[in-house]
Amino acid sequence: MTRYILKRVISSIITILFIMTITFILMNILPGNPFATENMGDPKIIAVMMEKYGLDKPLHERYFKYITDYVQGNFGVSYQKVGLTVNEVIGTGFPFSMKIGGVASLIVLLFGVVFGVIAALRQNTIIDKIFMVFATLGATIPSFVFATMFLYVFSKLLGWVPSFGLPNWKGYIGPAVVISLFSLSYVTRLMRSTMLDVLNQDYIRTAKAKGLSSQKIIIKHAMRNAILPIVSYIGPMIAAFLTGSLVVEKVFGIPGIGNLFTNSVLNRDYTMIMGMTVFFAIILVLFVLVVDIVYVLVDPRIKFE
């Protein structure tokens, strides 16, 4: 087990270094520079700014400094947000996205698995059909439509939640629900299909023949195997939730990290783009690593080698 985890950790570190290198190369081969804007058209001013931020140095020197700083957790200073570092900007937006993403993840994991199991156990009944209709709607209707509908019904008509921002805990309900709908629909359908497949396996029939209770068969034998595809999906899903959603954050007026990342791209804030890209990659790789470990614990048939 230790060797397996060590191999996965080394692989994750190599992946992050590769992403850091690719991000650096892409940002440096783009035409122009972050200071070539309408408000800064004087070549002398641009040259001074390039020298100030070390962009006039050879590429290999900038790359070495870039890697050294990032390994130490220093993402540099923002080119557009004067006086702020990338770490500070991420620190202001990430807590909002993290809270919303955490609640959304719980919604998906709890209700998605439960709804999928119920639909499988009630196959072809009215309950199954209702779950599948809602799962189809959740997977096909865009998130901004759900966000608009949610605000209209629960904010304007009923007045239960705030219409903009996060003044209190009620402000987190709408964004978390809207962000989770697609994944909730996907997990419900996936859990239903895998559960149906498992329930038709020979070992389930054997367990029934031995007289085991239905509850024990479903929880101990069927769900443990049916949930394996869900485990593979939840790692990237949680990482995506935690890094925010531009559309949802715009509609609900949330100063999350997804909104900040989009603004940095529009403003050509290269250090911000690189810092947030690597930050997103680290979160994704970490959750994939956790999923790899959990997958082995859930299914002992997977060999560590």
Side-chain angles (χ1 to χ4, degrees):
M1 182 66 174
T2 303
R3 183 181 178 185
Y4 172 83
I5 295 176
L6 182 61
K7 289 174 63 177
R8 290 295 182 270
V9 170
I10 294 174
S11 175
S12 299
I13 293 174
I14 294 174
T15 301
I16 292 173
L17 290 174
F18 178 76
I19 293 174
M20 290 168 59
T21 301
I22 292 297
T23 303
F24 177 83
I25 293 174
L26 291 176
M27 287 297 100
N28 281 275
I29 64 175
L30 290 176
N33 63 75
F35 309 111
T37 62
E38 295 180 359
N39 299 328
M40 194 178 294
D42 191 340
K44 294 182 179 179
I45 298 178
I46 295 177
V48 171
M49 297 298 294
M50 295 285 286
E51 182 180 359
K52 176 182 177 181
Y53 290 102
L55 298 179
D56 60 332
K57 295 181 179 180
L59 187 64
H60 68 276
E61 292 185 17
R62 282 185 281 147
Y63 176 74
F64 179 77
K65 186 178 186 306
Y66 163 79
I67 292 293
T68 304
D69 289 344
Y70 272 47
V71 169
Q72 297 174 356
N74 177 19
F75 292 159
V77 296
S78 172
Y79 292 159
Q80 302 296 333
K81 297 182 182 293
V82 181
L84 292 177
T85 65
V86 177
N87 298 64
E88 291 173 339
V89 175
I90 292 176
T92 59
F94 182 62
F96 298 106
S97 299
M98 181 178 65
K99 292 176 183 177
I100 294 172
V103 176
S105 300
L106 291 177
I107 292 174
V108 173
L109 295 178
L110 178 60
F111 292 101
V113 172
V114 172
F115 290 166
V117 172
I118 294 175
L121 297 177
R122 298 291 185 269
Q123 184 183 15
N124 297 327
T125 64
I126 186 64
I127 296 177
D128 180 27
K129 293 178 180 178
I130 290 175
F131 279 139
M132 290 303 99
V133 168
F134 280 104
T136 302
L137 291 175
T140 55
I141 299 179
S143 58
F144 71 88
V145 175
F146 279 121
T148 305
M149 292 171 56
F150 184 93
L151 288 176
Y152 179 76
V153 174
F154 294 99
S155 180
K156 183 177 181 180
L157 297 182
L158 301 176
W160 291 355
V161 297
S163 60
F164 193 84
L166 300 169
N168 51 52
W169 64 270
K170 293 181 181 179
Y172 289 91
I173 298 176
V177 171
V178 172
I179 289 177
S180 66
L181 284 176
F182 176 83
S183 294
L184 176 61
S185 303
Y186 179 81
V187 169
T188 299
R189 297 179 70 91
L190 181 60
M191 190 66 192
R192 176 185 181 273
S193 62
T194 55
M195 192 71 177
L196 287 174
D197 182 63
V198 170
L199 290 174
N200 291 322
Q201 298 296 320
D202 291 337
Y203 71 89
I204 296 296
R205 300 189 185 97
T206 303
K208 292 179 179 179
K210 290 182 178 180
L212 296 179
S213 64
S214 299
Q215 183 178 4
K216 189 173 183 179
I217 292 174
I218 293 171
I219 296 177
K220 185 177 180 179
H221 297 283
M223 284 188 62
R224 182 170 184 177
N225 291 306
I227 206 171
L228 288 175
I230 309 298
V231 173
S232 300
Y233 175 75
I234 60 175
M237 180 201 74
I238 295 176
F241 284 170
L242 295 182
T243 52
S245 168
L246 167 64
V247 174
V248 175
E249 290 180 0
K250 280 288 187 182
V251 174
F252 286 93
I254 300 169
I257 197 169
N259 196 11
L260 293 173
F261 181 73
T262 305
N263 291 335
S264 66
V265 174
L266 296 176
N267 295 328
R268 301 184 71 176
D269 193 343
Y270 291 171
T271 51
M272 190 71 67
I273 296 173
M274 291 190 292
M276 287 192 172
T277 300
V278 173
F279 180 72
F280 293 166
I282 291 173
I283 292 178
L284 177 59
V285 170
L286 286 177
F287 274 99
V288 171
L289 173 63
V290 172
V291 167
D292 286 342
I293 297 173
V294 172
Y295 205 89
V296 173
L297 297 176
V298 173
D299 189 357
R301 294 173 299 178
I302 300 176
K303 296 185 180 297
F304 294 144
E305 291 80 12

